[in-house]
Amino acid sequence: TGDLDFKVRADGTMYAAHHVQMPSKQLILMVTAWDPQILGRWEAIVRFLVTEKSQPSSREIQGDTLLPWRQHQSANGLRRQKRDWVIPPINVPENSRGPFPQQLVRIRSDKDKEIHIRYSITGVGADQPPMEVFSIDPVSGRMYVTRPMDREERASYHLRAHAVDMNGNKVENPIDLYIYVIDMNDNRPEFINQVYNGSVDEGSKPGTYVMTVTANDADDSTTANGMVRYRIVTQTPQSPSQNMFTINSETGDIVTVAAGLDREKVQQYIVIVQATDMEGNLNYGLSNTATAIITVTDVNDNPPEFTTSTYSGEVPENRVEVVVANLTVMDRDQPHSPNWNAIYRIISGDPSGHFTIRTDPVTNEGMVTVVKAVDYEMNRAFMLTVMVSNQAPLASGIQMSFQSTAGVTISVTDVNEAPYFPTNHKLIRLEEGVPTGTVLTTFSAVDPDRFMQQAVRYSKLSDPANWLNINATNGQITTAAVLDRESDYIKNNVYEATFLAADNGIPPASGTGTLQIYLIDINDNAPELLPKEAQICEKPNLNVINITAADADIDPNVGPFVFELPSVPSAVRKNWTITRLNGDYAQLSLRIMYLEAGVYDVPIIVTDSGNPPLYNTSVIKVKVCPCDENGDCTTIGAVAAAGLGTGAIIAILICIIILLTMVLLFVVWMKRREKERHTKQLLIDPEDDVRDNILKYDEEGGGEEDQDYDLSQLQQPETMDHVLNKTPGVRRVDERPIGAEPQYPVRPVIPHPGDIGDFINEGLRAADNDPTGSGSTAGSVSSLNSSSSGDQDYDYLNDWGPRFKKLADMYGGGEED
């Protein structure tokens, strides 16, 4: 038993080991039984009901009948109700096969001898879900279980038994009934996962933890039915030992039990684990299996090794970023892991750092690459010693292999290199103005190909001003023109030219060089006067003209300048004077008290400070004009300063007045002539007076001298309806003739006003030359007759001027044509 106060004999009899005082009303003991032959083990729970020693037995059993209710009578005849008896728990094994309903117990009250009693039960399993698991005969009090029990669904039930009379009145107090479902081993252990994944480093020592597997059993874990034990069934592969791992039977922890884990030999183990209940008893217990996949993880226990001890390559000189050799290695560790990734380094043979070794991330090869150009004339070959290692350090106890070092031989090939100028951007200094053909310098190049017999030729690449020549053989530079420091091709006194040196190799190579010529200034530019024009008042002491000079040369061939007036013509020094302000500025002013307004050319001699000095006579145009009290030139003064004297200005004003007067008189005369015209009679027969048909054009003219008129008034109107019914004879000149018109020369619709005389003469000449007169219903001008009255006076045509005198002679009584 699990209690020292009680013991059990081999036949299963339980007894108290000594006098026991029980503090509680119920005692629960665990009893264990073993079978030494089959190593079986069973456990059971035994519950005892504790009663008072002085009282009779707490339970009367008459067959399977329980009498939970009992009454006693006192000496005085009074009835005293004792406390209810406690009914011991009722044990029902799960998964019973029946038959059902299966009687569990009979409950009765001792009052059933006196009255008829009805029994009932309440609680979960009776009148509460799950319903009707238990039932009771209301008359006999027999209680039944109606179906098999499942402890994993519900392990216990708590019911209450009731006793009432036929009227439903309570006869006894309710009694508690406890029903326990006895566990049976009806559930296999179930693994949480069917496949477990774990890992362990290769080379791990025995006892290294790998992983844990777990299985659960739905049976009672306090009994053997739910006690699970683990064991390893199989291991695949069984290398290097068939028992590489062991498992803790109670916890499921898998650990290594043997040495020799090597990823390069076995990368993965598959272990079948079995879980069995009944504490692992394979005869009575239920089992289940799961798979544990154990991956052997890589450690850097294999150093990289070169596949050969020597490598070779070739590189052209002056080339960079060229792969000259590929180094191959072998590493048995996990590919593309830090334990496998190779790192190369050069340990000797390249003191100047011409090469580096880069790792190909895919193949793990070492690519020997040129990072600094090599020179064939300096080194024809390199002997490198290289070493390879891993990205991760080697595991403890692992040493580098002698095969982790190799030699690399690199040959350098000669190529045709371009000639170069040892002194590029060569600077020479000389004075400007040296004559053409002067030898300046020898700008020669060097061919680095010492082992090739080659010739170098020179030519110009850039000579902006075309001032230089270069000897194609030796590079001697001479001047082809005079070098001028003041030229636009000069920047900061420096002239720059570029030359080309090319060899005759295969293929040819060339290099460029820049020659800079610093030109020293000489005094070869005379100064120029500034400004070129100025303005001054006709009276002195009001203002002056500040003058200076500009010189294309530079110091010391510029200022201070000397300004002076020439002696010839004498009027210059008579009218003007120059006052020196400083070395660069002077003032020009009037010497006399008054100078007539106008424009004056004042010559001034300007001399610089060069050695020898240069001078120049410059002319400044000075406008002399009248000024107001502020010293500003007036409007009239500005005109005067333009070159006109006062007399000329007065003459211009008089001419303007005369012109305006003539225009006014001409307008008055034109008005008078217009009035006289309206007083003249029309040149038509009074009998043919057609004044009601006169067209008014609101056009007026002033005779031959008037240029503002419209000759279209002399043309006949377009409308002919008002004259179609008139009799033949004289027609108005503003009417169009009827019938076909003669083919006269085409005249402009609107003749120039200045051609009025030509227009009339031309009309007369056309009429005189018309042989038939049939071109017009009016006939020719020569056929005009006087009226029948004969009293028409045409003498007034003489007053119209010489143009109309012929008409006056023809029709005014003169000699007929």
Side-chain angles (χ1 to χ4, degrees), residues 421 423-427 443 496-499 512-516:
F421 291 88
T423 306
N424 206 347
H425 281 69
K426 182 176 183 179
L427 178 66
F443 197 28
E496 191 169 277
T498 306
F499 299 93
T512 61
T514 301
L515 177 66
Q516 294 178 328

Side-chain angles (χ1 to χ4, degrees), residues 180-197:
Y180 293 97
V181 181
I182 304 302
D183 183 45
M184 296 293 179
N185 190 19
D186 57 346
N187 290 280
R188 293 179 179 276
E190 296 290 341
F191 283 96
I192 297 177
N193 301 310
Q194 282 301 308
V195 178
Y196 290 84
N197 290 285

Side-chain angles (χ1 to χ4, degrees), residues 369-421:
T369 308
V370 182
V371 294
K372 182 179 178 182
V374 296
D375 188 358
Y376 176 82
E377 286 70 30
M378 299 293 295
N379 294 288
R380 299 188 182 184
F382 291 87
M383 297 294 296
L384 308 181
T385 302
V386 297
M387 176 179 285
V388 63
S389 60
N390 289 127
Q391 184 178 347
L394 289 173
S396 60
I398 306 299
Q399 301 296 327
M400 289 293 293
S401 170
F402 71 94
Q403 294 180 350
S404 297
T405 304
V408 182
T409 301
I410 299 175
S411 301
V412 181
T413 58
D414 192 15
V415 297
N416 185 25
E417 299 176 82
Y420 67 93
F421 291 88

